[in-house]
Amino acid sequence: MGAYILRRLVLVIPTLIGIMIINFTLTQFVPGGPIEQILAQMEGEGDVFENFAGSGDAGASDAIGGDERYQGARGLPPEFIEELERQFGFDKPAHVRFFEMMWNYLRFDFGESYFRSISVIDLVLEKMPVSITLGLWSTLIAYAISIPLGVRKAVRDGSAFDSWTSGVIIVAYAIPAFLFAILLLVLFAGGSYFKVFPLRGLVSDNWEDLSAWGKVVDYFWHITLPVIATSISGFATLTLLTKNSFLDEIKKQYVQTAKAKGLSEGRVLYGHVFRNAMLIVIAGFPAMFIGILFSSSLLIETIFSLDGLGRLGFEAALARDYPVLFGTLYIFGLMGLLIGILSDLMYVFVDPRIDFGSRET
């Protein structure tokens, strides 16, 4: 097992580098980099650049006016453009910038945001509570509901209960999370009917003034709707996975043998079937948590006015904030690869009979 884990850890490095190469290459062909973003906003604000262009310096304006690289820089002195390129590192070839970036990332030096004057790590840590809230509670709720429901559906396979719950599950899976979030807002957040839950934010404005118990209540009061909206699709998928896993196990010979020995249905179901059927479900917990944590959260965060990692990545992409964009990509890519290894270890923990070390590479 140790050799298997070592091989997987070694493969993390080339896989992560490949992910970074692909995304870095793609950004080189996307128009409107960070310099273009700044120049487009500053065009016409000549007072800001008097230190670059002396009074009456009409030549600088003419020189930059014909520069096809930055069409938004007409009227700005070339010295200012060159200084911007040096500050952002764009005076170097693309391959040099990539190798320097990866060398810094290997030392976990992710630099600072171009536009926020804050380190990437601090920015991620600042947004992390929102995403952890959505990911953790959505995953726990999905497991708490899906496993008992899936077991019940497997035991009563083909019954009326199985049929109508399957219909509910299919509808839940088909509803987009953002559309369900809007429905929850309209119904329960003062949209048109009831004002039971707050409309936005993770906590109230008077959070600091609340007691310890009041903070707990306020926290859960705010996260109820976004967590429900986030967990609906995962709940549907996990329920069907649990049911199918139990059905596969129930049909196996060892179940018939246990029943023939006179064991009760409950003991057979939870003493023998449950452990084997839950292998794939429980072992997938880390991957499911990471999936909810880092994906499909942008619209939910926007609808409920939550400032999390989804909005951070989206805003970084729009602003061409490359340190944030590539830094978060590197962090999340590394976490995803390590979670894959953790998922394999979960299989071994749930069922020690599994030995990945004996597999051929």
Side-chain angles (χ1 to χ4, degrees):
M1 189 64 186
Y4 171 77
I5 296 176
L6 181 60
R7 289 196 300 268
R8 290 290 303 272
L9 289 174
V10 170
L11 287 174
V12 165
I13 298 176
T15 304
L16 190 58
I17 291 176
I19 293 173
M20 298 301 297
I21 289 176
I22 293 173
N23 286 273
F24 184 86
T25 303
L26 290 176
T27 58
Q28 306 309 306
F29 299 98
V30 177
I35 294 181
E36 290 91 330
Q37 296 282 333
I38 292 177
L39 295 180
Q41 296 176 10
M42 293 183 171
E43 183 183 5
E45 299 177 4
D47 295 341
V48 180
F49 314 114
E50 287 183 353
N51 57 329
F52 288 99
S55 58
D57 186 2
S61 174
D62 296 335
I64 195 64
D67 192 342
E68 297 181 356
R69 294 177 302 165
Y70 306 114
Q71 292 296 328
R74 292 184 176 90
L76 302 181
E79 293 87 353
F80 177 73
I81 307 299
E82 293 174 359
E83 179 62 25
L84 277 180
E85 290 180 339
R86 282 193 296 270
Q87 290 180 3
F88 287 102
F90 289 105
D91 56 332
K92 303 174 183 177
H95 68 279
V96 174
R97 287 187 279 117
F98 176 78
F99 285 119
E100 289 182 351
M101 179 184 73
M102 290 304 300
W103 172 245
N104 291 331
Y105 285 3
L106 289 174
R107 296 177 295 158
F108 294 97
D109 178 10
F110 300 100
E112 291 189 353
S113 167
Y114 282 160
F115 307 110
R116 306 194 190 197
S117 298
I118 183 175
S119 69
V120 174
I121 289 293
D122 290 339
L123 197 56
V124 170
L125 293 177
E126 178 184 318
K127 312 297 182 183
M128 187 70 78
V130 171
S131 296
I132 289 180
T133 292
L134 295 179
L136 180 60
W137 289 113
S138 298
T139 305
L140 291 177
I141 289 175
Y143 269 79
I145 296 176
S146 298
I147 292 179
L149 180 59
V151 173
R152 186 70 171 172
K153 285 174 62 62
V155 172
R156 302 183 60 179
D157 183 41
S159 66
F161 172 81
D162 182 44
S163 298
W164 73 262
T165 52
S166 293
V168 173
I169 289 172
I170 292 173
V171 171
Y173 185 77
I175 297 178
F178 77 91
L179 186 61
F180 188 62
I182 295 174
L183 177 63
L184 292 176
L185 283 181
V186 172
L187 292 177
F188 302 110
S192 299
Y193 297 92
F194 309 103
K195 187 172 179 56
V196 180
F197 297 98
L199 185 62
R200 59 176 59 87
L202 191 61
V203 293
S204 299
D205 294 336
N206 63 337
W207 165 263
E208 298 296 336
D209 300 328
L210 299 176
S211 63
W213 175 246
K215 290 181 178 180
V216 172
V217 173
D218 184 78
Y219 170 74
F220 283 103
W221 183 47
H222 279 78
I223 70 171
T224 298
L225 295 186
V227 165
I228 292 175
T230 305
S231 60
I232 183 172
S233 60
F235 151 78
T237 304
L238 191 57
T239 301
L240 294 178
L241 178 61
T242 303
K243 176 191 174 182
N244 293 333
S245 298
F246 263 80
L247 286 177
D248 289 341
E249 290 297 323
I250 289 174
K251 298 176 182 178
K252 291 184 178 180
Q253 184 63 42
Y254 76 90
V255 177
Q256 305 302 323
T257 302
K259 290 181 178 180
K261 289 181 178 181
L263 297 179
S264 65
E265 182 177 354
R267 186 173 179 183
V268 172
L269 187 63
Y270 293 100
H272 297 274
V273 177
F274 187 84
R275 180 176 181 178
N276 295 327
M278 286 295 98
L279 175 62
I280 188 173
V281 177
I282 297 176
F285 180 88
M288 183 176 180
F289 169 64
I290 290 296
I292 296 178
L293 180 64
F294 295 136
S295 65
S296 304
S297 60
L298 170 61
L299 293 177
I300 299 297
E301 291 176 8
T302 302
I303 291 171
F304 291 100
S305 300
L306 300 174
D307 194 8
L309 295 175
R311 290 183 64 180
L312 174 64
F314 177 70
E315 292 172 357
L318 287 183
R320 305 298 192 269
D321 196 345
Y322 290 157
V324 176
L325 187 63
F326 291 124
T328 53
L329 177 65
Y330 183 90
I331 294 172
F332 300 157
L334 179 60
M335 291 180 63
L337 293 171
L338 294 179
I339 287 296
I341 300 175
L342 180 59
S343 296
D344 288 347
L345 295 179
M346 286 290 292
Y347 279 103
V348 178
F349 175 77
V350 174
D351 190 350
R353 296 171 299 176
I354 296 178
D355 183 13
F356 288 104
S358 62
R359 296 170 52 185
E360 294 293 333
T361 56

